[in-house]
């Protein structure tokens, strides 16, 4: 299995190389050269298997010969052993034919753990074999950073630096990043928005002297291995509701387009998906682009769903690459326009192709709050604000004949202020992390400035 860049001008890599590299050297994102297919019988055979077994069968063809079957099976087992639910990704019925896929039973209470715990184990095995170490730098609106620090803390071959927007993450998110005591993990508060953190991260990757000097590796959702890990729960949940014998739909609270893109990959592999619904908050660039064809950035407006406060949605580039018939030069031109003018327009043909795969809706702050209150009253389910956006949009978009699965992307206790304001009830942290508020914090504050960040990292890496 080979991986190619969405901008068509970077080396073709193996799974292992693409995973360790993150962003392609031409600024693009790696995607598989071809999408492996799963026949209806193979999908049917997933019924009744454990989450780990489904993960093995769905991901195996993408990994190529990077890992042996035994190695890969062990990696998956270690990745999900720390989850607080034996099903890993349980489904609960919210209302008739509307299901919630609970993706928040991992160690940091958000779906990011599914990918990050796997990546931690993949990196550890690959780097030990190569006798190498890497510096991981990540940008986070809150959940990626906590998941990355949790997954890599104490591992031998990596130093981890996480950039987060100062004052714009929830207290639980911040504490999950600032309380681990291992010397190889660093939380860095940046004066700016998430998009600033993401822009500085891209600057570091495009500074080849720095990139090669510190052996930079990326674990943001641009990393193909993250998308791949997320494909698994589309299969496990669809099969639980009758796939391949009947179609299901998904609604996905979306920011960087990584999670919903994993659903698109599942569909391309052969899973019968009717609707893939992109749900956004008031930062609705994806909703606007999918409905008008114009991808136009605006100021980020902070919301009660901070993990979706994004205007530059990195993984959308992967969807554009397919919509443009995998024409890397066309994608490179769009990204050039985005950089120089703050936006671009897709052609009508491309807009139509995107519409064949994705529909979209959005929720205002008031609708989000109302959804939290409504579903708590009517189903007893306490939703985090991101999941509430998904549920609100799903209710508006779904038809009653097709099962709708809404991805619940975080535990309500990760966003206690917003949940309490809406439902009048303080969501308690799960037992296993009840002392989070008592642990001492450790973080550094660095200016939104490339050279300051480079110096900070160079001073602190182990080798
Ligand atoms: C990251 C995140 C999202 C958005 O996921 P993307 O893959 O960036 O689209 C939604 N909800 C929560 C809780 C998240 O942490």
């Amino acid at each position: 299995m080979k991986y190619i860049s969405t901008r068509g001008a970077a080396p073709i890599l193996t799974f292992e190389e693409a995973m360790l590299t993150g962003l392609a050297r031409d600024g693009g994102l790696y995607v598989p050269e071809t999408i492996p297919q799963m026949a209806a019988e193979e999908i049917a055979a997933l019924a009744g298997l454990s989450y780990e077994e489904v993960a093995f069968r769905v991901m195996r063809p993408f990994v190529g010969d990077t890992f042996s079957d035994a190695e890969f099976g062990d990696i998956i087992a270690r990745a999900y052993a720390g989850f607080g639910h034996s099903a890993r990704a349980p489904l609960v019925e919210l209302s008739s034919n509307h299901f919630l896929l609970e993706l928040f039973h991992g160690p940091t209470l958000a779906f990011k753990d599914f990918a990050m715990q796997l990546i931690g184990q993949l990196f550890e095995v690959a780097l030990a074999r190569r006798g190498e170490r890497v510096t991981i730098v990540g940008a986070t609106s809150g959940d990626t950073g906590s998941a990355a620090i949790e997954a890599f803390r104490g591992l031998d071959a990596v130093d981890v630096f996480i950039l987060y927007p100062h004052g714009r993450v929830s207290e639980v998110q911040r504490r999950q990043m600032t309380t681990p005591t291992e010397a190889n993990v660093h939380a860095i508060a940046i004066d700016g928005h998430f998009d600033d953190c993401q822009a500085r991260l891209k600057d570091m990757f495009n500074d080849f002297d720095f990139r090669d000097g510190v052996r930079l590796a990326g674990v943001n959702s641009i990393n193909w291995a993250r998308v791949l890990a997320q494909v698994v729960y589309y299969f496990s949940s669809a099969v639980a509701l009758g796939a391949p014998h009947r179609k299901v739909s998904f609604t996905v609270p979306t920011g960087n387009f990584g999670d919903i893109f994993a659903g698109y990959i599942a569909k391309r592999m052969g899973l019968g998906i009717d609707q893939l619904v992109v749900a956004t908050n008031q930062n609705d660039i994806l909703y606007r682009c999918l409905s008008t064809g114009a991808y136009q950035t605006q100021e980020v407006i902070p919301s009660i769903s901070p993990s979706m406060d994004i205007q530059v949605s990195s993984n959308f580039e992967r969807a554009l690459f397919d919509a443009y018939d995998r024409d890397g030069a066309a994608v490179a031109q769009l990204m050039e326009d985005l950089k120089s003018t703050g936006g671009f327009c897709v052609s009508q043909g491309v807009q139509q192709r995107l519409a064949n795969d994705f529909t979209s809706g959005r929720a205002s702050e008031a609708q989000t709050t109302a959804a939290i209150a409504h579903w708590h009253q009517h189903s007893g389910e306490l939703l985090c604000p991101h999941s509430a956006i998904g549920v609100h949009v799903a209710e508006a978009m779904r038809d009653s004949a097709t099962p709708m699965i809404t991805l619940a992307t975080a535990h309500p206790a990760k966003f206690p202020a917003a949940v309490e304001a809406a439902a009048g009830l303080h969501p308690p942290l799960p037992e296993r992390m009840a002392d989070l508020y008592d642990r001492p914090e450790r973080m550094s504050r660095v200016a939104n400035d490339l050279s300051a960040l480079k110096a900070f990292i160079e001073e602190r890496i182990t080798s």
Side-chain angles (χ1 to χ4, degrees):
M1 174 64 70
K2 296 285 182 209
Y3 288 83
I4 59 173
S5 164
T6 49
R7 301 195 193 172
I12 293 175
L13 302 182
T14 63
F15 175 80
E16 174 169 334
E17 291 164 338
M19 163 186 102
L20 292 174
T21 300
L23 193 66
R25 287 181 97 88
D26 59 3
L29 280 62
Y30 277 102
V31 289
E33 200 168 31
T34 56
I35 305 291
Q37 298 297 301
M38 274 185 90
E41 312 81 76
E42 293 174 277
I43 295 172
L46 301 175
L49 299 184
S50 69
Y51 186 84
E52 284 80 353
E53 286 174 285
V54 174
F56 183 90
R57 294 194 191 185
V58 169
M59 294 192 287
R60 188 77 193 95
F62 290 93
V63 171
D65 48 19
T66 291
F67 301 105
S68 70
D69 282 357
E71 255 176 342
F72 193 49
D74 288 347
I75 284 169
I76 291 170
R78 284 197 298 275
Y80 299 115
F83 277 52
H85 196 294
S86 60
R88 311 310 183 211
L91 274 173
V92 301
E93 189 164 18
L94 202 55
S95 63
S96 172
N97 239 4
H98 187 181
F99 299 84
L100 206 59
L101 180 60
E102 293 186 347
L103 299 176
F104 50 69
H105 295 287
T108 68
L109 307 181
F111 82 91
K112 305 284 196 308
D113 288 322
F114 278 88
M116 212 62 84
Q117 286 292 320
L118 184 79
I119 269 208
Q121 300 302 326
L122 292 169
F123 268 57
E124 169 122 300
V125 174
L127 291 170
R129 185 166 62 201
R130 294 160 78 110
E132 288 174 8
R133 50 181 308 118
V134 295
T135 302
I136 288 171
V137 184
T140 187
S141 53
D143 294 329
T144 297
S146 47
I149 285 177
E150 186 62 38
F152 286 97
R153 61 194 284 187
L155 294 191
D156 287 334
V158 287
D159 293 296
V160 179
F161 298 86
I162 297 298
L163 319 181
Y164 71 90
H166 178 69
R168 296 185 193 277
V169 299
S170 83
E171 186 175 359
V172 175
Q173 290 176 318
R174 190 190 71 233
R175 285 181 170 276
Q176 286 178 336
M177 293 191 277
T178 59
T179 57
T181 54
E182 288 82 357
N184 73 324
V185 295
H186 308 267
I188 304 176
I190 298 286
D191 294 306
H193 288 286
F194 169 67
D195 285 328
D196 296 314
C197 299
Q198 189 159 251
R200 297 296 78 71
L201 177 68
K202 284 201 172 151
D203 291 345
M204 283 185 238
F205 270 96
N206 289 325
D207 181 332
F208 291 145
D209 284 343
F210 177 75
R211 177 174 179 164
D212 296 337
V214 304
R215 307 192 56 87
L216 198 60
V219 296
N220 268 87
S221 63
I222 52 169
N223 191 308
W224 170 256
R226 288 226 4 226
V227 174
L228 178 59
Q230 294 165 188
V231 175
V232 175
Y233 46 70
Y234 286 89
F235 277 92
S236 65
S237 59
V239 166
L241 294 180
H245 311 295
R246 68 168 173 173
K247 282 196 170 190
V248 298
S249 292
F250 289 94
T251 300
V252 187
T254 303
N256 239 336
F257 211 78
D259 210 5
I260 184 101
F261 190 75
Y264 164 83
I265 292 294
K267 183 176 173 186
R268 290 279 313 276
M269 289 175 73
L271 186 63
I273 296 179
D274 184 27
Q275 292 194 78
L276 270 175
V277 184
V278 174
T280 78
N281 67 17
Q282 59 195 3
N283 296 293
D284 59 353
I285 186 166
L286 288 166
Y287 170 80
R288 286 183 283 116
C289 180
L290 291 168
S291 32
T292 68
Y295 187 92
Q296 191 60 51
T297 54
Q298 299 175 346
E299 269 291 293
V300 173
I301 312 167
S303 77
I304 56 170
S305 47
S307 303
M308 294 160 66
D309 287 346
I310 287 173
Q311 284 288 338
V312 180
S313 189
S314 300
N315 277 291
F316 193 51
E317 180 168 343
R318 287 186 160 117
L320 289 169
F321 184 58
D322 277 4
Y324 275 86
D325 262 331
R326 305 206 136 197
D327 178 350
V331 173
Q333 184 58 53
L334 294 180
M335 295 303 140
E336 209 37 64
D337 294 348
L338 176 63
K339 204 166 174 184
S340 56
T341 71
F344 57 78
C345 280
V346 301
S347 69
Q348 234 177 23
V350 165
Q351 194 192 336
Q352 188 50 51
R353 298 184 72 165
L354 289 168
N356 291 342
D357 285 311
F358 303 103
T359 49
S360 176
R362 63 184 161 177
S364 67
E365 295 287 272
Q367 287 167 328
T368 307
T369 302
I372 296 173
H374 173 89
W375 292 101
H376 180 243
Q377 254 169 30
H378 289 84
S379 73
E381 204 47 54
L382 202 49
L383 300 168
C384 94
H386 311 77
S387 311
I389 288 168
V391 169
H392 172 86
V393 170
E395 282 292 311
M397 306 289 284
R398 77 193 183 98
D399 64 81
S400 55
T402 313
M404 173 60 84
I405 301 172
T406 296
L407 275 52
T409 50
H411 191 286
K414 208 160 181 183
F415 303 92
V419 172
E420 187 164 4
L425 166 103
H426 188 83
L429 280 168
E431 195 76 43
R432 63 188 193 282
M433 54 195 72
D435 67 336
L436 187 65
Y437 288 95
D438 306 326
R439 299 179 205 156
E441 293 191 75
R442 176 176 64 101
M443 100 261 294
S444 306
R445 191 134 167 217
V446 179
N448 176 18
D449 174 76
L450 180 61
S451 39
L453 279 164
K454 280 164 46 178
F456 182 92
I457 291 168
E458 279 164 340
E459 277 165 28
R460 284 165 183 81
I461 56 178
T462 310
S463 55

